[in-house]
Amino acid sequence: MKIVALNGSQRGDKGYTHFLIERLFQGARAAGAECEEISLARHKLNRCLACRECQGEIHYLNCLYTDKDDVSAIFQKMRAADLIIYATPVYVFGMSSLLKMLLERFYGTGDSSLLRVADSGLMFHHIDPALCSKPFVLLVCCDNLEPETPGNVISYFRTFARFMDAPQVGTLMRNAGLLSGYGQTSESLRRFPKLAEAYAAFVQAGRELATTGHVRSATQRRANQDIVLVPLFGWLKR
């Protein structure tokens, strides 16, 4: 099992997204998986210009940026993986611009003039299944305690999975990043006892991905649990 995690955080290996990826990898590596994190903040990514050169005869399915940035190399690593982790913090109620920019470059890998019908029954154009249809886990984190905060990101990848015929084998969400010290302080574990259980569930999720290819619902619930009691949160809001 080869797992590639795309870290969309602007903070790279200093952020909470990286910390949570490492918890997943701890369990996956212990179960024999080969794991690689790609921190998008460390790479050169050009945005898709919708120039459609990749749809023409001269540069057919070949982006003009192919030799000018790191996207092609990242795509090759994704194609070689058995499973992808799309990992992002919530920025203004959506995924990070880094991750969105990478996903928009998928356009240069499919022929938009060739229509297809996805397994879900949705009509879409031709795609590169070796890149777009990989089983994936969504990992999203945020500071806010409101459950609505990651809603747009979760909805996006639910739609992505249906159009791309990409099995979504897990959804992991950690809120209260600021309160938890972004995983960097032991004090947060003392203040919030449920946090240790949540992190242990992330490690277990990694083991399950390496051995079964998906994260069990019970493991997801433990990983995604609120660390602040709901009555207290309601009192704070009032």
Side-chain angles (χ1 to χ4, degrees), residues 20 23-25 27-28 172-174 194-209 215-225:
L20 296 171
R23 302 287 77 69
L24 281 172
F25 280 2
L172 299 170
M173 198 287 293
R174 274 282 6 111
K194 289 180 176 288
L195 196 55
E197 183 181 345
Y199 290 159
F202 268 77
V203 176
Q204 176 61 24
R207 292 193 194 97
E208 292 171 2
L209 287 173
V215 183
R216 294 171 57 241
S217 296
T219 304
Q220 291 182 69
R221 285 194 297 271
R222 290 196 300 274
N224 300 347
Q225 67 180 294

Side-chain angles (χ1 to χ4, degrees), residues 66-130:
T66 295
D67 299 320
K68 299 177 181 179
D69 68 7
D70 300 329
V71 169
S72 292
I74 293 172
F75 282 176
Q76 284 303 104
K77 290 186 176 185
M78 292 173 66
R79 290 185 179 100
D82 297 303
L83 187 144
I84 305 295
I85 299 172
Y86 293 107
T88 179
V90 175
Y91 290 159
V92 198
F93 314 115
M95 75 180 79
S96 74
S97 58
L98 285 173
L99 183 55
K100 187 63 166 60
M101 198 180 330
L102 182 74
L103 292 174
E104 287 178 359
R105 291 285 295 277
F106 278 8
Y107 182 69
T109 67
D111 188 333
S112 63
S113 69
L114 299 178
L115 295 181
R116 57 181 280 275
V117 177
D119 292 342
S120 61
L122 296 171
M123 184 177 293
F124 197 48
H125 61 65
H126 163 261
I127 62 172
D128 176 1

Side-chain angles (χ1 to χ4, degrees), residues 46-79:
N46 286 305
R47 69 186 189 278
C48 176
L49 297 177
C51 65
R52 293 186 57 82
E53 290 292 328
C54 59
Q55 303 299 311
E57 292 184 9
I58 297 177
H59 299 285
Y60 182 66
L61 301 188
N62 187 25
C63 180
L64 294 180
Y65 286 132
T66 295
D67 299 320
K68 299 177 181 179
D69 68 7
D70 300 329
V71 169
S72 292
I74 293 172
F75 282 176
Q76 284 303 104
K77 290 186 176 185
M78 292 173 66
R79 290 185 179 100

Side-chain angles (χ1 to χ4, degrees), residues 113-165:
S113 69
L114 299 178
L115 295 181
R116 57 181 280 275
V117 177
D119 292 342
S120 61
L122 296 171
M123 184 177 293
F124 197 48
H125 61 65
H126 163 261
I127 62 172
D128 176 1
L131 174 66
C132 304
S133 302
K134 293 287 184 183
F136 74 92
V137 170
L138 171 62
L139 168 56
V140 56
C141 59
C142 60
D143 286 346
N144 203 338
L145 299 175
E146 293 283 5
E148 184 67 15
T149 304
N152 283 337
V153 184
I154 293 171
S155 177
Y156 175 94
F157 278 97
R158 187 180 300 118
T159 300
F160 174 94
R162 296 183 67 206
F163 274 98
M164 297 295 190
D165 290 333

